[in-house]
Amino acid sequence: MNKIVGLVITDSNSSTFKSKKPVESHSILGQSVLQWSGSALAEITGEAQSIQCDDIGRAKDLIGNSENFIINWGDQPLILADTFRHLLEKHSSEGNDTTAIISCNGKASVYVFKSKNFLDRLNELGIQSLSKFNIAQIFQSIQNKNKISSEDKTQFIVVDDRVALSIAMGEVKSAILKKVMLSGATVMDPSSTFIDAGAVIGEDTVIMPNTIIEGNTVVGEGSIIGPNSRIVNCRIGNNVEVANSVAYDSSVGDDTHVGPFAYLRPGSNVGKNVKIGDFVEIKKSVIGDRTKISHLTYVGDAEVGSNVNIGCGVVFVNYDGKNKNKTIVGDNSFIGCNVNLVSPVVVKNDAYIAAGSTITEEVPENSLAIARQRQTIKQDWVTKKDLKRK
């Protein structure tokens, strides 16, 4: 038998929230409201079980396997572990059958019950739902109890509308940023910075203003992220700069520069000491070490080797209208400006492609590919056509 069980009960039918999905499923910086409501409770009980208020059978099974159990509600995400600890200590030291902390306005509450006593009262009253009203009714029916009133307006907030959700998000955000800064990273403007709970930021990394870091992103040491950047589920190496750019589900190696205005789409794997410049889009591609893609280029479904130079305006033409095809560019190659690489195609190591070429066939090693018409000059064409600009 478990000595103590933690239950997070979902009982929010708030019409004030105005949403097609449950309040508890809404996100606060990487976790749902429900997950936040259970996280601190799990520190005390080892695990917090989430349960619908009308799932009375499962509730009885969980409670019946414990000596005591603590209740938090799924729309109370800010209750601290110390509060649950204090509640449990009061309950044990006073020998109560039940103890509660209830906010001054009566909206928020947490409870601890002796399990056997609770189940007896549940059966006697014929209660079939662990709603907030019914739990309060059971609490009131027990003689040996202690009700503690709390004036803490921060912890005891109930997320019952979008305003309360915003307040809760602000509190969680402050706690996360404090943890990040105390771990050795610099957050230049906390008011405009959002970092999810699952993200890890390395020592001496600087987070510039207007930056959002989401999911399980890991940023190494000595990097600069931002300003005006969004990083989602990425692994960013050491001494990396990501400026004014967006990256999803990608990795970036050490000493690489991304941006400004670059876009790393899911599945991009960028190597070390790489330059991904302005208005460059990478999609589901591997970019080798020391490669430079400096501006105005699209690289999709490709393997690009090491020490490759890709000029301005290059397009990896990866879609034929039905299928996505792959391009391979070998090490030490040079791709001139305004080149179209029509997939599937292979450019071997140490090859050069002349500017303005459209490449549809394999380019051999150490060769130059030119795929464009010879220049034609028509003398006096402008005069004959009367197109002279005034």
Side-chain angles (χ1 to χ4, degrees):
M1 177 182 288
N2 296 326
K3 188 172 182 181
I4 185 165
V5 167
L7 295 186
V8 183
I9 302 175
T10 300
D11 177 33
S12 61
N13 298 309
S14 175
S15 60
T16 57
F17 199 87
K18 302 189 188 315
S19 177
K20 293 181 174 62
K21 59 183 184 179
V23 171
E24 293 84 359
S25 69
H26 284 260
S27 179
I28 297 178
L29 296 175
Q31 294 186 168
S32 68
V33 174
L34 181 63
Q35 287 173 312
W36 282 113
S37 298
S39 59
L41 183 55
E43 292 184 37
I44 306 304
T45 63
E47 185 180 8
Q49 298 285 343
S50 300
I51 189 168
Q52 297 283 338
C53 66
D54 56 359
D55 193 353
I56 197 72
R58 180 165 176 258
K60 286 181 176 180
D61 288 341
L62 291 168
I63 295 168
N65 285 318
S66 67
E67 295 179 17
N68 295 275
F69 72 98
I70 301 177
I71 291 175
N72 190 23
W73 304 101
D75 56 3
Q76 295 180 170
L78 300 183
I79 308 294
L80 299 176
D82 283 346
T83 298
F84 291 120
R85 191 175 289 112
H86 173 67
L87 174 67
L88 191 57
E89 287 172 354
K90 291 286 285 184
H91 178 73
S92 299
S93 64
E94 295 174 357
N96 301 322
D97 290 329
T98 182
T99 309
I101 303 177
I102 298 176
S103 63
C104 294
N105 60 13
K107 289 180 66 175
S109 58
V110 291
Y111 298 88
V112 58
F113 289 92
K114 285 185 177 178
S115 299
K116 185 179 183 306
N117 186 281
F118 177 87
L119 290 174
D120 289 344
R121 299 303 299 151
L122 189 71
N123 293 327
E124 288 171 13
L125 295 170
I127 287 173
Q128 296 300 313
S129 168
L130 299 184
S131 66
K132 292 181 179 181
F133 176 82
N134 287 341
I135 294 296
Q137 186 182 5
I138 292 172
F139 177 80
Q140 291 298 334
S141 72
I142 296 173
Q143 279 194 328
N144 183 24
K145 61 178 179 286
N146 183 10
K147 175 183 174 182
I148 304 165
S149 181
S150 174
E151 297 185 4
D152 190 327
K153 295 179 181 178
T154 299
Q155 283 190 71
F156 285 85
I157 186 171
V158 177
V159 178
D160 55 3
D161 59 27
R162 305 282 180 160
V163 175
L165 180 66
S166 177
I167 294 170
M169 191 175 298
E171 293 296 328
V172 171
K173 172 186 164 183
S174 294
I176 292 172
L177 293 181
K178 180 179 179 181
K179 182 179 177 182
V180 167
M181 289 185 280
L182 290 176
S183 72
T186 297
V187 179
M188 290 189 66
D189 182 17
S191 67
S192 67
T193 301
F194 295 82
I195 300 177
D196 276 2
V200 177
I201 313 297
E203 194 171 297
D204 292 323
T205 283
V206 177
I207 309 299
M208 302 281 277
N210 299 312
T211 292
I212 302 171
I213 299 176
E214 299 178 64
N216 296 315
T217 294
V218 177
V219 180
E221 298 182 351
S223 294
I224 300 174
I225 309 298
N228 308 309
S229 295
R230 185 182 183 194
I231 314 295
V232 184
N233 292 320
C234 291
R235 298 192 69 85
I236 308 295
N238 300 322
N239 304 309
V240 172
E241 184 171 358
V242 180
N244 298 277
S245 297
V246 175
Y248 290 90
D249 302 300
S250 298
S251 64
V252 178
D254 296 347
D255 303 302
T256 287
H257 184 102
V258 178
F261 312 116
Y263 182 19
L264 303 184
R265 291 168 58 186
S268 298
N269 185 351
V270 179
K272 298 178 180 179
N273 198 23
V274 171
K275 166 66 175 176
I276 305 294
D278 52 291
F279 303 104
V280 171
E281 180 177 346
I282 311 291
K283 176 255 179 185
K284 200 178 179 181
S285 297
V286 176
I287 310 299
D289 297 345
R290 304 186 314 282
T291 285
K292 291 179 173 56
I293 311 173
S294 295
H295 27 236
L296 299 166
T297 289
Y298 171 68
V299 180
D301 299 288
E303 290 182 14
V304 179
S306 300
N307 195 36
V308 174
N309 188 90
I310 297 180
C312 178
V314 173
V315 176
F316 284 59
V317 187
N318 60 323
Y319 185 48
D320 62 9
K322 183 178 181 181
N323 299 307
K324 298 292 178 70
N325 300 299
K326 190 172 185 178
T327 294
I328 298 175
V329 177
D331 297 341
N332 306 311
S333 295
F334 185 97
I335 313 299
C337 293
N338 295 316
V339 166
N340 293 314
L341 296 171
V342 182
S343 309
V345 71
V346 176
V347 178
K348 294 295 188 69
N349 294 345
D350 301 293
Y352 272 60
I353 298 178
S357 296
T358 295
I359 301 299
T360 59
E361 299 177 359
E362 181 177 301
V363 180
E365 200 167 315
N366 294 310
S367 62
L368 169 65
I370 306 172
R372 61 191 185 208
Q373 287 186 328
R374 288 183 178 275
Q375 183 170 309
T376 301
I377 304 294
K378 295 188 177 184
Q379 296 288 350
D380 297 324
W381 182 86
V382 173
T383 305
K384 291 175 184 178
K385 293 289 186 179
D386 193 25
L387 294 175
K388 198 174 195 68
R389 295 174 65 81
K390 307 298 183 186

